[in-house]
Amino acid sequence: ALWCLMMSVTTTRGCLLDLPWEDILVPHILCHLPLQQLLSLQRVSKSFQSLIQLYLANMRCFDSSQIGPAIPRAAFVNLLKDNEVLQQLALQNCSDWLTDRELLPVIGQNHHLHQIQLKGCAQLSRHALVAISLSCPNLRQLSLAHCEWVDSLSLRSLADHCKALEAVDLTACRQLKDEAICYLVQKCSRLKSLSLAVNANVGDVAVEETAKCCPELEHLDLTGCLRVKNDSIRVLAEYCPKLRSLKVKHCHNVAESSLSILRSRGVELDVEPPLQRALVLLQDVVGFAPFINLQI
């Protein structure tokens, strides 16, 4: 596609650029090209450079993975310096270069963001989450997985200002305890997806409060939450009729006695029934799986 654009310039003496930029080129042509190719297109001519800058200023979605993990800090700042209409921002695994200094100006000038992905951005601080909560009232989805700088105070700010949240990923946010999770779900009752995985401080109190406050909940990830027990899983089954999937792998205090209620409703679980687990173990030991005909 990039080659076709360049050829059209050389063979027709720039007639492509004669098309309306904001009405045709930006929304109907450039939007179909990968971001990395668009940046290369800037080198064709000064006119193309101006066109791409216009595109960047009107871009609704920015995903750093389209450029690569080694995007220079200065390049990121330059790409989004004029953009005030972003709706989706994905900066996962940019821990090598992304700090509050680069992120906060982007957040501060984009009040229409409804989806933010910051997975693994370890060099940010709680100020980033506070800025998000103050600047993005329409936020629907937020991933903070493996962001250990998230604390209870910044999460409270998020809960107070972003009550339309539908999906939150707090995997391995190890500072958070039951109290912080309870405050979040009390304020954000529209949650459909929540991950509390790999958090040893999360227990039954947080799970039960989530169940009672979020009747629309469809997906819950409790992987590795060692303090979660059977009682909270039963409460989850009682209060969340729309639950579609539950992850409880490595939750050693959760047994089939509570999971069977959800299993009978067709909820997708990441642990197998005891009999199936036993057959798998037997296959590992003896090298084959016996054929068993069971009638229930």
Side-chain angles (χ1 to χ4, degrees), residues 91-112:
L91 298 171
Q92 61 269 30
N93 299 316
C94 295
S95 59
D96 291 341
W97 58 270
L98 185 67
T99 68
D100 290 355
R101 184 175 180 179
E102 293 78 41
L103 181 63
L104 265 57
V106 175
I107 296 298
Q109 67 192 30
N110 283 280
H111 304 293
H112 304 289

Side-chain angles (χ1 to χ4, degrees), residues 4-51:
C4 291
L5 282 173
M6 294 177 65
M7 287 300 294
S8 68
V9 176
T10 57
T11 59
T12 62
R13 303 185 63 179
C15 68
L16 177 69
L17 295 175
D18 292 335
L19 294 172
W21 288 15
E22 294 188 19
D23 297 331
I24 301 297
L25 293 182
V26 170
H28 297 294
I29 297 180
L30 298 187
C31 65
H32 297 291
L33 293 177
L35 184 57
Q36 192 167 18
Q37 290 189 3
L38 288 172
L39 299 180
S40 299
L41 195 59
Q42 291 185 101
R43 297 195 291 267
V44 173
S45 68
K46 290 184 178 180
S47 295
F48 266 97
Q49 184 178 19
S50 299
L51 174 61

